[in-house]
Amino acid sequence: MLTRLVIQRRAPFANSHEFPITGAYEKLVGKIYGEVDPKNRLNKMIVNLENAPRNRRGRVEYSSNFCILKPVDMARGNGKIFFDAPNRGGKRIVAFLNDAPQSNDPATLEDAGNGFLMRQGYAIVWCGWQGDLMSVKNWLVLNVPVATNNCNEIIRETRTEIVVDEKGVKSQPLSGDERVLSYEAATRDKSKAWLTVREKSYGPRIPIPSLEWEFASCVKDSRSGKETIKSSGEHLYLHAGFKPGHIYEFIYAAKNPSVLGLGFAAVRDLVSFLRYQRKDSAGRPNPLATNKKTSVIRYAYAWGRSQSGRFLRDLVYHGFNEDEVHKKVFDAIAPHVAGGGRMFLNYEFARPVTSSQQHTNQLDPELFPHAYNVLKDAQTGRRDGILKRPRTDPAVFHTQTSTEYWQKRA
């Protein structure tokens, strides 16, 4: 449940422009704090939740930054939340539905685009759900704990793929993505790790001798061009550099997995609070409420594009469209270009930034079920579907482009 919602900054949006019917909007920026009961059946499916540190109430804590664009006078709004599930920390919905310029800090009238969502009266809500992102200004990032085994480090063999697009790259983070934190190597003994390269996804893997790589990062001075090599348990350095387009597969012993499945709970708890609660446990008011009894929110919708669309599908699949007091969270979700995929999120040593494509990451899990309706898996005989809880399942408006039929299992 959400325990605190702290507004750190409140400012007029779009220069206090008066949108038709709805009037002026304002922007709220701050942090949310929540805690999850590992004993609650709705939370038990979060991987490693039982191995996370707990507070004195026996709960596992998380926090995230948030942003809300809302009518100054909520009574003039339409009584609906539109939650934009961030894509790798980024805000997307205003750019896509308002034809606005892409901005992670929407503030001006230009940032409102054609004003569609504001003219309709929506309260637009963002919070972080991805707990392995770098902390970058205006990104939506979730803070989650690290799991341990009775206070001992959890160590597992982990696989990552690294592909670069340009010549001259000599080091990369083990996450394979500059935006994402890496799982640190539990040992830098190179005999305990395996590095191969292949030109195509199904091509032969060619081993790279350990003398040709290091656990290290390479920083190049922009003025002198001099390279500085630093030992690092979170980076892979190739003496000869990475070949663009080639797939480098690295298998190593990693440590300290984060409890990334808490991303589902954070979204559930924030939207449920904004929809149903008058104040948080510290007595701070719900910013979308207009009276002392209840919120004015009647409906809540969610939109996500690509990665964040898959996140919404997985949130529903795992039962997080039901809050901890058994109320529905979202009335409808609108995944855009999500294909038939879900998320590599609720796993130990998960990598939710990755996505199985025609060329890369084809071994990352995007598993059955792919469909909304309950079907039988021809390979295993198992029956399952994303929509299997009629009382709390949302309506779905799912949109694709041709790309999703070619490489995202639409």
Side-chain angles (χ1 to χ4, degrees):
M1 80 177 171
L2 187 141
T3 55
R4 287 185 293 151
L5 184 147
V6 181
I7 299 172
Q8 298 171 325
R9 181 161 56 95
R10 194 171 203 140
F13 174 70
N15 305 317
S16 297
H17 174 78
E18 288 280 325
F19 294 96
I21 302 175
T22 313
Y25 264 63
E26 62 181 344
K27 180 168 73 173
L28 313 180
V29 177
K31 292 199 72 171
I32 59 169
Y33 300 85
E35 59 182 28
V36 171
D37 183 358
K39 296 179 181 179
N40 188 312
R41 68 168 180 84
L42 296 171
N43 302 323
K44 282 186 175 182
M45 54 70 57
I46 298 176
V47 170
N48 265 335
L49 186 64
E50 74 280 5
N51 293 323
R54 305 186 190 188
N55 61 22
R56 57 185 177 82
R57 292 180 293 278
R59 309 290 178 87
V60 177
E61 297 181 346
Y62 65 82
S63 65
S64 169
N65 51 344
F66 78 87
C67 180
I68 296 175
L69 297 180
K70 61 174 281 293
V72 173
D73 182 356
M74 284 297 295
R76 296 178 66 180
N78 64 5
K80 300 173 184 177
I81 287 172
F82 222 142
F83 178 80
D84 176 15
N87 185 305
R88 295 165 176 84
K91 304 177 177 75
R92 294 289 184 267
I93 193 170
V94 179
F96 273 79
L97 298 191
N98 280 30
D99 292 328
Q102 177 60 49
S103 173
N104 241 25
D105 187 25
T108 67
L109 184 56
E110 182 186 12
D111 292 332
N114 61 31
F116 170 73
L117 290 168
M118 292 79 194
R119 288 183 280 109
Q120 295 294 318
Y122 288 104
I124 307 165
V125 177
W126 295 271
C127 78
W129 63 262
Q130 189 173 342
D132 62 349
L133 288 173
M134 295 286 187
S135 182
V136 175
K137 186 178 180 181
N138 296 321
W139 280 13
L140 284 306
V141 178
L142 180 68
N143 300 304
V144 296
V146 168
T148 62
N149 182 12
N150 294 320
C151 297
N152 297 313
E153 291 179 337
I154 294 176
I155 298 173
R156 297 278 188 271
E157 194 172 86
T158 303
R159 171 189 170 277
T160 186
E161 283 187 10
I162 297 174
V163 179
V164 304
D165 298 326
E166 300 176 354
K167 291 182 178 180
V169 177
K170 289 192 173 183
S171 74
Q172 284 286 280
L174 295 181
S175 66
D177 193 309
E178 298 282 358
R179 300 166 294 185
V180 178
L181 299 169
S182 298
Y183 295 113
E184 185 178 358
T187 174
R188 300 186 195 181
D189 180 350
K190 293 195 287 182
S191 69
K192 303 292 177 59
W194 297 266
L195 178 62
T196 63
V197 63
R198 61 194 190 277
E199 188 173 356
K200 297 179 181 179
S201 180
Y202 293 102
R205 289 169 167 81
I206 301 172
I208 297 178
S210 60
L211 290 174
E212 297 181 14
W213 62 269
E214 310 290 342
F215 282 108
S217 64
C218 174
V219 179
K220 191 172 185 179
D221 188 277
S222 59
R223 292 184 178 180
S224 66
K226 183 180 178 181
E227 293 181 348
T228 302
I229 312 302
K230 293 184 178 180
S231 178
S232 170
E234 298 177 359
H235 291 81
L236 176 65
Y237 173 79
L238 275 182
H239 293 280
F242 293 87
K243 294 180 181 179
H246 286 55
I247 301 170
Y248 292 83
E249 184 177 58
F250 190 53
I251 298 172
Y252 70 105
K255 64 180 181 180
N256 298 331
S258 298
V259 188
L260 297 183
L262 282 167
F264 296 130
V267 171
R268 174 197 66 189
D269 294 349
L270 172 61
V271 175
S272 175
F273 169 78
L274 294 173
R275 185 170 183 180
Y276 297 116
Q277 302 299 315
R278 179 173 63 88
K279 58 184 178 180
D280 65 21
S281 58
R284 295 180 179 86
N286 177 348
L288 302 189
T290 58
N291 58 54
K292 295 183 179 180
K293 293 183 179 180
T294 184
S295 167
V296 297
I297 298 301
R298 296 178 294 116
Y299 300 102
Y301 308 143
W303 180 89
R305 175 182 177 269
S306 190
Q307 182 214 31
S308 49
R310 297 193 300 276
F311 168 78
L312 293 177
R313 284 164 51 86
D314 221 20
L315 178 145
V316 173
Y317 171 71
H318 286 300
F320 284 89
N321 205 46
E322 177 183 358
D323 71 12
E324 290 184 313
V325 293
H326 310 299
K327 292 182 178 180
K328 182 184 288 191
V329 179
F330 294 113
D331 296 285
I333 63 170
H336 178 53
V337 299
R342 293 190 286 111
M343 287 295 296
F344 187 10
L345 176 64
N346 193 41
Y347 297 83
E348 192 170 70
F349 295 101
R351 297 197 307 152
V353 77
T354 68
S355 173
S356 177
Q357 303 287 339
Q358 284 182 321
H359 181 60
T360 59
N361 296 310
Q362 294 204 346
L363 294 181
D364 284 356
E366 290 191 9
L367 305 177
F368 176 86
H370 302 284
Y372 290 101
N373 49 319
V374 176
L375 298 172
K376 182 179 180 179
D377 182 5
Q379 291 184 317
T380 65
R382 176 176 157 225
R383 293 183 62 83
D384 206 353
I386 293 173
L387 300 178
K388 55 187 177 182
R389 301 173 179 86
R391 190 179 64 81
T392 57
D393 280 339
V396 178
F397 192 91
H398 188 117
T399 51
Q400 311 273 42
T401 70
S402 59
T403 295
E404 286 68 63
Y405 293 95
W406 283 105
Q407 65 177 30
K408 287 306 298 176
R409 297 152 185 81

